Amino acid sequence: MLVIIYGLEKFRAYLIGTSIIVFIDHATIKYLLTKADSKPRLIRWILLLQEFDLVIKDMKGSENVIADHLSRLITRRSLARS
């Protein structure tokens, strides 16, 4: 959720007035958005999300090929561990 908030705040000037579709693999974020009794930080985040034309779609991790590929990239750090 924090990544979505950070991205929206960072690119606010470019995203206002456009339709945004966010694909996630965490169904709990949808639950958090509809939770009745929330903490103040979550309420602030939800109010920020309401400023945008935002659609959040749930996609399984195995179906999200781009994120799956990025998570499997070999880096120097992962080579040093092995």
Side-chain angles (χ1 to χ4, degrees), residues 21-65:
I21 300 173
V22 177
F23 291 98
I24 59 171
D25 63 346
H26 298 286
T28 55
I29 290 179
K30 284 189 171 184
Y31 165 74
L32 288 175
L33 295 176
T34 59
K35 187 177 175 184
D37 185 31
S38 301
K39 294 185 178 183
R41 180 185 297 174
L42 184 60
I43 292 171
R44 284 193 306 268
W45 288 352
I46 291 171
L47 290 174
L48 177 81
L49 292 177
Q50 289 177 352
E51 296 178 16
F52 298 94
D53 183 17
L54 181 71
V55 176
I56 297 177
K57 294 187 177 181
D58 188 28
M59 180 184 286
K60 290 182 182 179
S62 60
E63 294 174 1
N64 194 349
V65 179

Side-chain angles (χ1 to χ4, degrees), residues 69-81:
H69 174 72
L70 291 174
S71 67
R72 294 173 193 265
L73 286 177
I74 298 175
T75 60
R76 290 181 186 181
R77 189 174 286 175
S78 64
L79 288 174
R81 289 184 205 158

